[in-house]
Amino acid sequence: MKTLHKMALASLVLLAASGASAQTAAKAGKTTRVTDADVRQMIESSFTSKGPATVEGVINQDATQKACSQYPDRLHVPAAVAKKVEAAELKQVKYPADNNFLGDWKEGEKIAQNGRGMQFSDQVGTPNGANCYACHQLTKAEISFGNIGPSLYNYGKLRGNSPDVVRYTWGKIWDSNAYSACSNMPRFGHKGILTEQQIRDVMALLLDPASPVNE
């Protein structure tokens, strides 16, 4: 919301600057304060929901999003706020009821490579991709990847597959904020971006010894 607020503020200032009242206020050295309500109204009147891309998905923030919107990035989040966010999000992580954490790494690779989903042109209910390569290196063969997040190459080989590692990895994918408040990583499970089975498959990509991640 913070970025949208700045964009809307700039737009409202430009629009107001063309009016006589704005010119009068400028001459008097006064400024007009744009509120969150102004931004919300502008977004609602300027955009239309279509398919999985909804206006509500942009303007209706949960508690964590509201907290994180107060800071420019996660490095500026006060320790007390970060601790509160992480504790709240960790409570919301849903682990597999059948205790089956790993799926098919081959399917996980497809999900990691797929960057489509949740766009206005997509059908509601269409499976989304995770677009993992946009932020992480995963395999040695992949030469085009982002570096916003750490390299995950040899993830399972370096960390092993102990119950603690498995639960941490699941929790990180399900809700990244549970371990790193205001993370740039999407909350794949919490926000319903990936299904439980898709998360199992991505888990296998990271942890299965046969996966190219662990060559």
Side-chain angles (χ1 to χ4, degrees), residues 33-47:
R33 181 177 180 273
V34 179
T35 66
D36 285 344
D38 294 324
V39 176
R40 185 185 186 96
Q41 191 280 327
M42 185 178 186
I43 293 173
E44 289 178 333
S45 63
S46 301
F47 298 93

Side-chain angles (χ1 to χ4, degrees), residues 21-109:
S21 60
Q23 293 174 1
T24 302
K27 290 179 181 178
K30 298 178 181 179
T31 58
T32 301
R33 181 177 180 273
V34 179
T35 66
D36 285 344
D38 294 324
V39 176
R40 185 185 186 96
Q41 191 280 327
M42 185 178 186
I43 293 173
E44 289 178 333
S45 63
S46 301
F47 298 93
T48 302
S49 297
K50 185 177 180 181
T54 65
V55 174
E56 293 75 15
V58 174
I59 61 179
N60 293 335
Q61 295 184 309
D62 61 25
T64 290
Q65 291 170 318
K66 289 179 180 178
C68 293
S69 291
Q70 305 306 309
Y71 308 99
D73 58 61
R74 68 182 185 84
L75 298 178
H76 290 82
V77 180
V81 175
K83 184 176 181 180
K84 183 177 180 180
V85 166
E86 290 167 4
E89 296 302 292
L90 186 59
K91 290 180 181 179
Q92 300 185 73
V93 174
K94 295 181 181 179
Y95 299 96
D98 59 3
N99 209 38
N100 180 16
F101 287 85
L102 302 185
D104 182 345
W105 71 258
K106 293 180 181 178
E107 292 301 313
E109 172 68 8

Side-chain angles (χ1 to χ4, degrees), residues 3-19:
T3 300
L4 289 171
H5 191 287
K6 290 179 180 178
M7 294 172 63
L9 174 59
S11 298
L12 288 173
V13 168
L14 287 173
L15 289 171
S18 63

